[in-house]
Amino acid sequence: GTLLNSWRAVWVVLSEDGLDYYKKKTDRSPKGMIPLKGAILISPCQDFNKRTLVFKITAEKKQDHFFQTSHMEERELWVKDIKRTISCLKDGKRFARKSTRRSIRLPDTVNLAELYALMKDQDNGVKELKLEQDNRVFNHCFTGATVVEWLVSREKARNRPEALMLATGLLNEGFLQPADEMSKEGAEGREQTSFLDQTKALYYFADSGFFCEGYSSDEDVLLKDEFRGNIIKQGCLLKQGHRRKNWKVRKFILRDDPAYMHYCDPSKGDDPLGAVHLRGAVVTAVEYVPDAKKYDIDGNLFEIITSDETHYFLQAATAEERKDWIKAIQAVSKNGK
């Protein structure tokens, strides 16, 4: 935000001459537009101390715009394409991705853009799911095997090897993106079929709402050392769940050394359900929470981003209480171990 210096999730569309940003994906008109002609992009941007994955666009009229992505690879993809757009505008050219059709021997009759549009069809296309893998939640994604099976079942390919070549073309042209470590390693490999026909390789549509997050389950192993620190602050807050995205009242206990904030169900005693390691974490007041229903939010929101990029969304009862929690957590994250 340019006025309150708060962070808000927005839907961003890169066009040939600028960035349009919308309050949500379904909005018909953008909330604003950043012209890229004559703009300067800086990445990584260190203006916000511990808040990582930020890049800055300075428009020709010297106005700064800051964006934060959900993971490193996403930031690099945005930075790469925005810089290329700026360069094309400077040279009077149109942005165009380099074709990889010849390298994977796709027939000239294949139209990857049309195929991509069919795959994104809400009724008959590839379904975007929330998948869990390696203690991470991948939102709006699908497996490589699902893509290959869809291409065969819709008669876009005669068999799985042919479908694999089509999927590789979609990946190389930027229509599909790798989501997890397995698919990223495949995309970076030198094999012609860099797309993986596997159930554990995850991908997402380039213009989808994909994001991934870590989560702490109620069965997390809690070490005794976590409870050694002095109690700095305690009280009840609303916490958004990582899996179901519902809000529940939790009692939080903030300790300083080591820097942990444990939470429990106040109706069931003090046995902790989970812990947030605050060393090196960032805490910020926010006005919007992804995947939250309007009637679940009464304001006074704040977000904790841990050093391993896990996001926690919390609600305080009053603005003053939110301010006190943020101040206390910031002190512990800076000085605690």
Side-chain angles (χ1 to χ4, degrees), residues 111-127 150-151 154-156 170 175-176 205:
N111 188 321
L112 292 176
E114 289 183 1
L115 184 59
Y116 178 65
L118 291 173
M119 291 179 68
K120 290 203 66 183
D121 184 84
Q122 292 186 352
D123 296 323
N124 301 312
V126 176
K127 303 301 181 185
W150 183 89
L151 289 167
R154 299 296 172 178
E155 298 182 349
K156 304 302 177 183
L170 290 163
F175 291 109
L176 301 181
F205 295 128

Side-chain angles (χ1 to χ4, degrees), residues 210-245:
F210 168 80
F211 68 97
C212 66
E213 56 187 334
Y215 65 84
S216 58
S217 69
D218 291 353
E219 293 77 31
D220 280 346
V221 178
L222 302 173
L223 303 177
K224 291 183 178 180
D225 283 349
E226 296 177 7
F227 300 94
R228 288 190 296 108
N230 297 318
I231 295 178
I232 304 299
K233 185 175 177 62
Q234 59 182 315
C236 288
L237 297 165
L238 276 172
K239 174 184 175 293
Q240 186 190 48
H242 280 94
R243 298 182 184 181
R244 297 182 180 178
K245 303 299 179 184

Side-chain angles (χ1 to χ4, degrees), residues 282-293:
V282 175
V283 56
T284 317
V286 296
E287 304 302 325
Y288 172 82
V289 175
D291 295 331
K293 298 177 181 178

Side-chain angles (χ1 to χ4, degrees), residues 35-130:
L36 292 177
K37 186 175 182 179
I40 299 173
L41 188 148
I42 296 177
S43 177
C45 173
Q46 306 294 338
D47 291 27
F48 296 92
N49 297 323
K50 292 288 184 176
R51 183 174 280 274
T52 58
L53 306 178
V54 175
F55 63 89
K56 177 171 72 172
I57 299 174
T58 303
E60 193 173 28
K61 293 184 179 180
K62 306 303 180 184
Q63 184 177 9
D64 293 333
H65 303 272
F66 299 92
F67 292 92
Q68 176 182 332
T69 61
S70 61
H71 55 278
M72 181 73 72
E73 292 79 5
E74 184 184 31
R75 184 185 70 183
E76 297 310 309
L77 286 169
W78 276 103
V79 167
K80 179 181 177 181
D81 283 349
I82 293 172
K83 281 186 174 181
R84 191 169 176 185
T85 302
I86 293 173
S87 177
C88 287
L89 288 168
K90 182 180 178 181
D91 298 335
K93 301 178 181 178
R94 292 185 62 182
F95 181 99
R97 296 186 186 276
K98 185 178 180 181
S99 176
T100 56
R101 180 182 297 275
R102 182 178 300 177
S103 65
I104 58 173
R105 303 187 183 94
L106 283 182
D108 292 335
T109 55
V110 173
N111 188 321
L112 292 176
E114 289 183 1
L115 184 59
Y116 178 65
L118 291 173
M119 291 179 68
K120 290 203 66 183
D121 184 84
Q122 292 186 352
D123 296 323
N124 301 312
V126 176
K127 303 301 181 185
E128 297 178 87
L129 304 172
K130 179 184 289 186

Side-chain angles (χ1 to χ4, degrees), residues 1-8 51 284-288 322:
T2 55
L3 297 178
L4 300 177
N5 198 30
S6 59
W7 292 84
R8 185 185 297 268
R51 183 174 280 274
T284 317
V286 296
E287 304 302 325
Y288 172 82
R322 175 175 72 169

